[in-house]
Amino acid sequence: MPSYKAPLRDIQFVINEVLDTENLYAGLKGYEEATPDLMNAIIEEGAKFAENVLSPLNQSGDEEGCVWSEEGVKTPEGFADAYKQYVDNGWPSLSAEPEFGGQDMPNMLGIVINELAGTANWSWLMYPGLSHGCIKTLEAHGSPEQKEQYLPKLVAGNWTGTMCLTESHCGSDLGLLRTKAEPQADGSYAITGTKIFISAGEHDMSDNIVHIVIARMPDAPEGTKGISLFVVPKFNVNEDGSLGDRNGVHCASIEKKMGIKASATCVMNFDGAKGYLIGEPNRGLNMMFTFMNTARIGTAMQGLAHAELAYQGSLEYARERLAMRSLTGPKNPDGPADPIIVHPDVRRMLLTQKSIAEGSRAMLYYLAQLGDIVDRGDEEAAKKADDLMAVLTPIAKAFVTEAGLEAANHGIQIYGGHGFIREWGMEQIARDARIATLYEGTTGIQALDLIGRKVLGSGGKLLMGFTEMMGEFVDANADESYAEFTGPLSTYKDEWLTMSLEVGGKAMENPDEAGAASVDYLMYSGYVVLGYFWAQMAVAAQKKIAEGEGDTAFYEAKLMTARFYFERILPRTASHKLALLSGADNLMEMPEAMFAF
Ligand SMILES: Cc1cc2nc3c(=O)[nH]c(=O)nc-3n(C[C@H](O)[C@H](O)[C@H](O)COP(=O)(O)OP(=O)(O)OC[C@H]3O[C@@H](n4cnc5c(N)ncnc54)[C@H](O)[C@@H]3O)c2cc1C
């Protein structure tokens, strides 16, 4: 397993030289103190924690996994101690609201710290990571008493949270859920049912675990309109905030699974557990939409994390591993062979990983900034940011995790046979990366959300918000020296809109057309969005080179990676376009019975 080295130079490039971070936060209420210097100092501390504490536990955590017993779940050696350090150093509260003990730093900074921790050890990050959704739900919809009771401990990290949605027969379609909530005389609810796949449902890191659970009340309407939301603590909480008796929720078992083995994926039995209604009855799904965007950016981060880690390991290996000679003559004439980094095909894979990791970093930090504008911007700016987030979030979640998986697979290939062997760590990265395209909404579900709800559902308005921004960027950088990037962007901007209209027209006649186009449409969109961020990085790098500010090699490398992306990766859009416009017939005409032949 490669030991992780935080890419601080690249992180600072994106934050300070590509995105207008300093001006943005100087103008957002409450974030005035989040200056570049302060943010850099915090990021450097986060990098040390990730490199020195979390990274060394990544491979051992995978080997050891979690152990279930009647008493609970034991996480791998060192995990609980790392969590204690994380809490003692105040990391959980970094970007939480001050009212309940948060340090009130921008969400973007939280996302950067998650990148560092998650790249070093994704399984470990799942424990504090799941608290995020729980905190956001209570902040947005909890009663004043619920906030008072749960948020200070959750924000400080003394307690962790979960999201209990999935049941054995339903994941994507939560309308099928069966867990029951029976009203009790004291105003609480008795929650009964079994949830599966619950990340961090049980563990040995915190004093209490606070479950956010969806369940159905008696006589609730069928489907998604009958879902209510409850908070169910592992230990009941006394009025003075101290821990009371054990609640009727227990972990029945943990899953044996392909990757993220150090993250406990729990079957949770609720046997008349005491739960408390959050918000209004039957509004559960609507309430969860409020934090879904941030949760999805968090999961998108996993794609970036695995692309980055696979790239770091692959690069080191490609520089050292000797095999055959360069096609243009020896590059290591004193050695028995050349390092494999001389071979064009190895470079193709390395540059693919690099362009995915760095492009995704810019995309996700930008999205996190939009989240901060939604929270703290003036009304007009917040509305615009919200619209952009609506269309970009499913793209980021599905595209970045699919691309991260590709990058992780290249890691195995670059290591050759050694990539398949556990001790080198590349197969772990690929196994860990696999889940990201599944949970928090599969790629297929994100694609339906993009094409159905976001693009066609808004009559193209949300998409146009983004393409207009692409157009403004192209116009603002009309200089001939940027044309190799702005030219193609301009073409894609128009093609994306025309193609969306065509799919929309077909979908009016036959709804299956939207479903048939969806994943190719999403991947096409992902490549174009990443192209937009690569173009921004290329222009920023070119400007720095022209100014002669130094660090030229860094900027030249950025420019060359941008060229690679535009010439070798972005053209993948052409095949997605052909596939998505080929229509639904080639998928739907085969009768189900014929699939058997
Ligand atoms: C390791 C792990 C951790 C998890 N953590 C949590 C957690 O903390 N909390 C929690 O609640 N859940 C969690 N989950 C559950 C996860 O979110 C679900 O597995 C996921 O949402 C998919 O649901 P499903 O497994 O029921 O698949 P299904 O919904 O059965 O989907 C099966 C396939 O059908 C496709 N499909 C379904 N409907 C459509 C459609 N209308 N159009 C096109 N394609 C469709 C899907 O894309 C997928 O390919 C976790 C799962 C795992 C494996």
Side-chain angles (χ1 to χ4, degrees), residues 126 130 163-166 170-173 196-199 257 260 265 435 438-442 444-445 448:
M126 292 289 288
L130 263 294
M163 298 303 297
C164 296
L165 317 180
T166 307
C170 73
S172 307
D173 187 358
I196 66 161
F197 297 164
I198 304 308
S199 301
K257 56 193 196 294
I260 56 165
T265 305
I435 183 62
L438 297 167
Y439 55 17
E440 201 55 58
T442 61
I445 295 298
L448 281 183

Side-chain angles (χ1 to χ4, degrees), residues 432-509:
D432 286 354
R434 188 63 190 86
I435 183 62
T437 69
L438 297 167
Y439 55 17
E440 201 55 58
T442 61
T443 299
I445 295 298
Q446 301 295 339
L448 281 183
D449 180 46
L450 174 68
I451 201 165
R453 281 186 60 228
K454 306 295 169 56
V455 175
L456 304 182
S458 73
K461 215 175 103 248
L462 293 176
L463 176 60
M464 277 187 272
F466 185 74
T467 53
E468 271 164 24
M469 205 169 69
M470 285 171 76
E472 285 162 19
F473 170 78
V474 169
D475 294 345
N477 294 285
D479 192 297
E480 191 51 35
S481 53
Y482 309 133
E484 62 181 306
F485 305 111
T486 50
L489 265 198
S490 198
T491 310
Y492 279 115
K493 169 179 76 70
D494 298 335
E495 182 180 86
W496 194 5
L497 285 172
T498 322
M499 209 175 65
S500 305
L501 269 179
E502 192 174 332
V503 176
K506 284 189 191 173
M508 298 238 273
E509 313 252 302

Side-chain angles (χ1 to χ4, degrees), residues 170-406:
C170 73
S172 307
D173 187 358
L174 293 171
L176 300 173
L177 110 131
R178 291 186 193 136
T179 295
K180 286 189 299 200
E182 302 273 355
Q184 304 297 295
D186 65 357
S188 70
Y189 289 79
I191 311 289
T192 304
T194 298
K195 297 285 176 183
I196 66 161
F197 297 164
I198 304 308
S199 301
E202 180 61 45
H203 56 77
D204 53 5
M205 292 182 173
S206 64
D207 304 335
N208 201 4
I209 301 176
V210 180
H211 305 286
I212 301 291
V213 185
I214 56 169
R216 205 177 274 292
M217 288 185 181
D219 306 325
E222 295 275 299
T224 52
K225 291 196 165 70
I227 297 179
S228 300
L229 209 54
F230 299 87
V231 54
V232 184
K234 173 178 168 183
F235 287 98
N236 288 309
V237 183
N238 298 322
E239 291 224 334
D240 64 358
S242 62
L243 291 187
D245 55 343
R246 186 76 163 80
N247 203 355
V249 47
H250 291 92
C251 172
S253 61
I254 53 174
E255 305 290 351
K256 294 191 175 73
K257 56 193 196 294
M258 175 180 183
I260 56 165
K261 292 187 179 203
S263 162
T265 305
C266 304
V267 174
M268 300 300 297
N269 281 344
F270 294 81
D271 299 313
K274 230 179 210 325
Y276 304 89
L277 181 68
I278 302 174
E280 287 175 34
N282 302 326
R283 302 283 300 160
L285 215 54
N286 305 57
M287 285 186 265
M288 286 192 343
F289 277 123
T290 56
F291 72 82
M292 260 179 195
N293 280 344
T294 43
R296 288 182 171 169
I297 299 168
T299 311
M301 182 52 80
Q302 191 174 353
L304 159 55
H306 293 310
E308 174 67 38
L309 194 60
Y311 176 61
Q312 291 194 9
S314 302
L315 178 59
E316 196 182 316
Y317 192 79
R319 282 174 156 160
E320 286 170 6
R321 177 75 178 175
L322 305 182
M324 301 172 69
R325 290 295 182 190
S326 156
L327 294 170
T328 52
K331 300 292 180 289
N332 175 33
D334 298 334
D338 285 340
I340 59 172
I341 197 167
V342 304
H343 303 309
D345 188 54
V346 173
R347 287 172 163 249
R348 173 186 64 82
M349 293 188 277
L350 287 169
L351 281 163
T352 302
Q353 294 173 314
K354 184 171 163 61
S355 62
I356 288 171
E358 293 172 12
S360 302
R361 180 169 294 120
M363 187 198 298
L364 298 187
Y365 289 8
Y366 173 73
L367 259 173
Q369 290 196 344
L370 288 180
D372 284 325
I373 300 171
V374 171
D375 286 351
R376 304 277 172 103
D378 62 45
E379 204 177 318
E380 194 187 336
K383 168 82 180 83
K384 194 171 165 207
D386 201 33
D387 284 352
L388 283 169
M389 267 188 109
V391 75
L392 288 179
T393 302
I395 298 175
K397 194 298 173 171
F399 175 78
V400 174
T401 57
E402 293 284 350
L405 186 58
E406 179 190 340

Side-chain angles (χ1 to χ4, degrees), residues 7-27:
L8 291 176
R9 179 67 186 95
D10 200 54
I11 289 173
Q12 277 149 8
F13 171 69
V14 173
I15 294 180
N16 299 320
E17 299 172 44
V18 180
L19 304 176
D20 192 13
T21 305
E22 185 168 7
N23 283 330
L24 171 67
Y25 290 108

